[in-house]
Amino acid sequence: MPYTQRISARTHQFADLGELMAKASPARSGDALAGIAAASMEERVAAQTLLADIPLAAFLEAPLIPYESDEVTRLIIDGHDRAAFAPVSGLSVGAFRDWLLSDAVDTATLQALAPGLTPEMVAAVSKVMRHQDLILVASKCQVVTRFRNTLGLPDSLAVRLQPNHPTDSARGILASTLDGLMYGAGDACIGVNPASDDPAVLHQLWHLLDTLIARFEIPTQSCVLTHVTRQIEAIEAGAPLDLVFQSIAGTEAANRGFGIDLALLREAHEAALSLNRGTLGDNVMYFETGQGSALSADAHHGIDQQTCEARAYAVARVFRPLLVNSVVGFIGPEYLYDGKQITRAGLEDHFCGKLLGLPMGVDVCYTNHAEADQDDMDTLMTVLGVAGVNFIMGVPGSDDVMLGYQSTSFHDGLYLRRVLGKAMAPEFADWLRTMGIYDAETGLPLNPPAAKALMDFSEAAL
């Protein structure tokens, strides 16, 4: 069904809901690359004006990607909770925005609503919201998960310790891990992106991290971010896996490009649960996403990249993950051109994920050929902290020497916790105090005897 809007002397027409959503999106290079972006600000405003009047129920009646041809669409439609949707079922996109911003809508209300929302609904409402709207609504969302500690509590901020090394050197990975622990990073998880796909190397990394965590009884979880099939094989071989990782996207075809489907993710989820390694909970999955992944695989079906990204959250949601991470600026300027676009995308992703009931973190990052710098990342990191992001990255010096991109550092986690009064996971904080690593009075890291014990361990382990 076509949609028409007249502005001044010009009439703008949009062929269907998918085109309307794309043209209503804030400007970004990926949609321009796909040939679906608004041609002018006037056309964008016309699309946003029309989109605000679209009933939320329309997204259930007319899926943007056909039900018959896409398993993600089937997951969204078949899993929709109509009882949870009932409080907002009569609202338009614009009225839903006003409702979300109202003082009557609190954390409990949003938690109850989450199963009733679809990705397309939350993507649509984000397109008619300014930054402060995205921040305010997300700050009212709370998603708590548990494995060996408790993440997502009010006024908390976790850090994923990312000790990558270009040759998977155990010595280098341990050095970065110990450095991060000294600065209070690692409560989200200690997660290594391996340079190699060699099973022998992967097993060494799993055992290295498991030995460190067990030796010092660190209340955290490890993850080696290799393909999910490698992790299933490792579980079958008896490797000490905590979290199972996989990159995911919002269409069946894009996920096929990652070498996965929903059945494979279910198999991995069941395998991880069978290990029963969590002490406080059974949230065993870690997913990463990013705007532009479906477009880069030519698997976006003409749908804008932000809506495709929100659909990936429907895939994540069904597996009750411990962590979901939007690696927002990682794909490059072809999809998010500069700091302004990266900032907008980071706020959108966090908002959409939280509204859908996910424990959202954001890798506040950019590639070196993007029109962005660390000042842009400082801004995005700070506003995400205000919005209640569950976790950020902790990378030595902000510079990932294996993946070759710029992220946030251990010091950035300290800054954000201090300036916003955020706490780390309580079990992790207790461990740091017990070890003498963290000063409970000042909230600052120390130079403790525990550092020597950790260093001695690393030498012995190697």
Side-chain angles (χ1 to χ4, degrees):
M1 136 179 192
Y3 300 88
T4 303
Q5 176 68 36
R6 187 173 181 83
I7 293 184
S8 186
R10 187 188 301 271
T11 298
H12 298 273
Q13 184 164 308
F14 310 94
D16 53 30
L17 194 50
E19 183 183 0
L20 182 64
M21 290 273 281
K23 296 295 176 67
S25 292
R28 64 207 60 204
S29 53
D31 290 341
L33 179 66
I36 59 175
S40 65
M41 182 60 75
E42 180 182 289
E43 185 179 30
R44 181 171 294 113
V45 169
Q48 290 171 338
T49 302
L50 280 168
L51 183 61
D53 290 332
I54 298 295
L56 291 179
F59 295 101
L60 297 171
E61 298 160 1
L64 302 186
I65 301 176
Y67 180 94
E68 297 76 16
S69 60
D70 186 89
E71 69 171 356
V72 177
T73 297
R74 293 193 290 276
L75 178 73
I76 292 166
I77 299 300
D78 295 347
H80 182 246
D81 187 332
R82 290 191 175 271
F85 180 55
V88 298
S89 60
L91 298 182
S92 65
V93 170
F96 183 44
R97 170 193 175 272
D98 295 342
W99 183 85
L100 288 169
L101 291 168
S102 68
D103 290 338
V105 174
D106 58 12
T107 298
T109 303
L110 293 176
Q111 288 173 332
L113 177 67
L117 297 176
T118 70
E120 292 82 358
M121 293 175 191
V122 299
V125 74
S126 76
K127 297 177 192 300
V128 297
M129 298 174 86
R130 56 192 291 192
H131 284 190
Q132 68 173 248
D133 298 342
L134 300 173
I135 293 166
L136 176 59
V137 175
S139 73
K140 296 194 285 186
C141 297
Q142 179 183 317
V143 183
V144 177
T145 55
R146 294 178 175 88
F147 188 78
R148 291 200 188 100
N149 59 23
T150 307
L151 302 173
L153 292 171
D155 297 319
S156 69
L157 173 72
V159 177
R160 172 192 154 191
L161 205 170
Q162 184 169 297
N164 297 344
H165 192 277
T167 65
D168 292 328
S169 162
R171 185 179 296 274
I173 288 169
L174 269 180
S176 294
T177 299
L178 301 183
D179 187 27
L181 290 171
M182 293 300 107
Y183 285 96
D187 49 347
C189 75
I190 303 172
V192 177
N193 298 82
S196 172
D197 192 40
D198 181 346
V201 173
L202 300 176
H203 279 259
Q204 180 189 34
L205 295 177
W206 276 307
H207 283 283
L208 179 71
L209 297 176
D210 181 64
T211 302
L212 173 67
I213 290 171
R215 166 65 180 80
F216 291 97
E217 299 180 326
I218 308 173
T220 190
Q221 37 282 327
S222 69
C223 187
V224 177
L225 284 72
T226 188
H227 193 267
V228 67
T229 53
R230 284 281 188 247
Q231 294 166 88
I232 293 172
E233 292 168 359
I235 291 172
E236 293 171 347
L241 273 75
D242 290 339
L243 304 182
V244 168
F245 160 81
Q246 182 56 46
S247 293
I248 57 174
T251 72
E252 178 180 344
N255 282 325
R256 196 181 306 123
F258 284 138
I260 64 169
D261 57 20
L262 295 178
L264 183 61
L265 293 178
R266 291 189 187 99
E267 180 183 351
H269 186 227
E270 291 168 4
L273 288 173
S274 73
L275 296 177
N276 197 31
R277 290 174 59 84
T279 56
L280 295 183
D282 63 353
N283 300 118
V284 296
M285 303 298 283
Y286 174 20
F287 294 116
E288 288 192 344
T289 67
Q291 288 195 28
S293 59
L295 174 58
S296 68
D298 193 23
H300 60 101
H301 299 273
I303 306 303
D304 68 272
Q305 68 181 40
Q306 189 251 334
T307 300
C308 285
E309 169 73 2
R311 284 170 55 93
Y313 303 152
V315 175
R317 180 168 60 176
V318 74
F319 297 104
R320 302 186 302 108
L322 182 78
L323 308 164
V324 177
N325 181 29
S326 167
V327 193
V328 66
F330 183 74
I331 303 183
E334 299 85 353
Y335 306 96
L336 295 170
Y337 178 72
D338 56 14
K340 182 180 178 66
Q341 292 188 10
I342 293 170
T343 297
R344 174 70 192 190
L347 290 173
E348 289 170 346
D349 294 352
H350 179 251
F351 164 86
C352 289
K354 279 290 187 65
L355 207 54
L356 290 168
L358 287 175
M360 289 300 299
V362 177
D363 190 344
V364 179
C365 64
Y366 63 101
T367 58
N368 288 316
H369 62 309
E371 291 295 322
D373 59 28
Q374 209 62 42
D375 286 340
D376 294 315
M377 300 305 101
D378 284 350
T379 300
L380 176 55
M381 173 180 62
T382 303
V383 295
L384 282 168
V386 174
V389 69
N390 277 34
F391 67 98
I392 61 170
M393 298 295 108
V395 176
S398 302
D399 185 359
D400 193 299
V401 295
M402 194 283 282
L403 292 173
Y405 77 117
Q406 307 303 310
S407 185
T408 46
S409 70
F410 305 141
H411 299 80
D412 291 330
L414 284 178
Y415 149 76
L416 204 53
R417 284 168 174 165
R418 169 169 277 202
V419 74
L420 297 178
K422 299 283 187 177
M424 59 190 71
E427 302 85 358
F428 191 76
D430 289 344
W431 176 79
L432 288 171
R433 294 186 187 100
T434 299
M435 291 289 290
I437 296 172
Y438 188 81
D439 187 330
E441 297 297 323
T442 65
L444 294 173
L446 304 172
N447 185 17
K452 185 176 187 307
L454 287 163
M455 291 296 182
D456 289 345
F457 161 80
S458 66
E459 290 299 321
L462 295 168

